[in-house]
Structures are given as C-alpha cells and as structure tokens.
Amino acid sequence: QLHLKESGGGLVQPEGSLRLTCTGSPFTLDRYAIGWFRQAPGKEREGLLCINSVAYGETITYYRDSVKGRFTISRDNAKRTVYLQMNSLKPEDTAVYYCAGEHSDYGCGGVMDYWGEGTLVTVSS
C-alpha cells in the first residue's frame, strides 16, 4: 500500500511562493504517477498537475492551463518525495492541497488510488 503525506502549506502573501512536499512510503514511489490537487472553500476538488512514473519517463501532465508558468512539479525518487513549487500565488489559490498516487497503465490520465490528508495553503495579505 502507498501512503502519502503532504507538508509545506501555510500562510503566504499574494505574489509569494511556497513549495509543497509529498512524501511516500514504502520504497516504491517511483512506480507511481503522482498528482497534485486542491479543494478551495466551497468548491469541488480540482486537479492541478501530475508527474508520471519513472517507467513513463516522468512526463508532466497539466490538468489546468491556469497553473502553467506558475506551478511546477518534480520528483526526488531517492527521497521518495514529489514537490509542487508554487510561484506568483493569488488569493484564489487558497485551498487544501493534496497529493495522490496512481499505479496503472493510465498514469496521470488515470484515477488516483491513494491520497494524502492535505495541507492548507492560505494566500492573503
């Protein structure tokens, strides 16, 4: 079973930056596609972007065009960690951010099977 945990959330001012961390166990994280999602207050959960497994070349899928140029995703498989770097944050980015894993041939295009508990990001002056 894959267990995921997010960290790095907090309060940040508009135009600021945060890096979120998703840590997985056991030692098989490189076999999973890992995506970042968020749920804003009163809104449904939405996908942001995803990085495929090592077997699929760690290619990037953007679920939302709005995060292109602001959010980036990367892996450190040795640390069993996936990062979400968020720049130029806006108040509308305020949400609980989740990482999730998928372990099928669909990769980032599939349904995520494993989810973390989330970390809150608040963008406010």
Side-chain angles (χ1 to χ4, degrees), residues 28-74:
T28 55
L29 186 60
D30 60 334
R31 301 180 184 180
Y32 289 79
I34 301 295
W36 284 97
F37 300 76
R38 70 184 180 189
Q39 186 167 17
K43 301 294 183 66
E44 294 186 356
R45 186 178 62 200
E46 62 181 5
L48 300 173
L49 72 176
C50 177
I51 186 167
N52 272 303
S53 67
V54 171
Y56 285 89
E58 298 182 323
T59 54
I60 307 300
T61 294
Y62 289 90
Y63 296 130
R64 293 179 58 85
D65 290 340
S66 62
V67 305
K68 290 182 178 178
R70 296 198 300 130
F71 292 6
T72 57
I73 190 169
S74 61

Side-chain angles (χ1 to χ4, degrees), residues 1-124:
Q1 303 295 318
L2 178 65
H3 301 279
L4 300 173
K5 184 177 181 180
E6 305 91 343
S7 62
L11 176 64
V12 62
Q13 294 187 348
E15 299 301 315
S17 299
L18 282 177
R19 188 179 73 168
L20 305 183
T21 297
C22 176
T23 301
S25 63
F27 191 64
T28 55
L29 186 60
D30 60 334
R31 301 180 184 180
Y32 289 79
I34 301 295
W36 284 97
F37 300 76
R38 70 184 180 189
Q39 186 167 17
K43 301 294 183 66
E44 294 186 356
R45 186 178 62 200
E46 62 181 5
L48 300 173
L49 72 176
C50 177
I51 186 167
N52 272 303
S53 67
V54 171
Y56 285 89
E58 298 182 323
T59 54
I60 307 300
T61 294
Y62 289 90
Y63 296 130
R64 293 179 58 85
D65 290 340
S66 62
V67 305
K68 290 182 178 178
R70 296 198 300 130
F71 292 6
T72 57
I73 190 169
S74 61
R75 281 183 177 268
D76 186 338
N77 293 318
K79 296 181 178 179
R80 301 183 297 181
T81 299
V82 174
Y83 302 100
L84 178 66
Q85 178 67 46
M86 304 186 295
N87 300 322
S88 302
L89 285 163
K90 307 173 182 179
E92 51 263 42
D93 293 318
T94 296
V96 176
Y97 284 71
Y98 302 88
C99 65
E102 200 271 353
H103 189 36
S104 78
D105 291 339
Y106 293 101
C108 288
V111 177
M112 297 295 168
D113 303 301
Y114 306 97
W115 294 81
E117 294 294 325
T119 185
L120 177 63
V121 173
T122 302
V123 184
S124 176

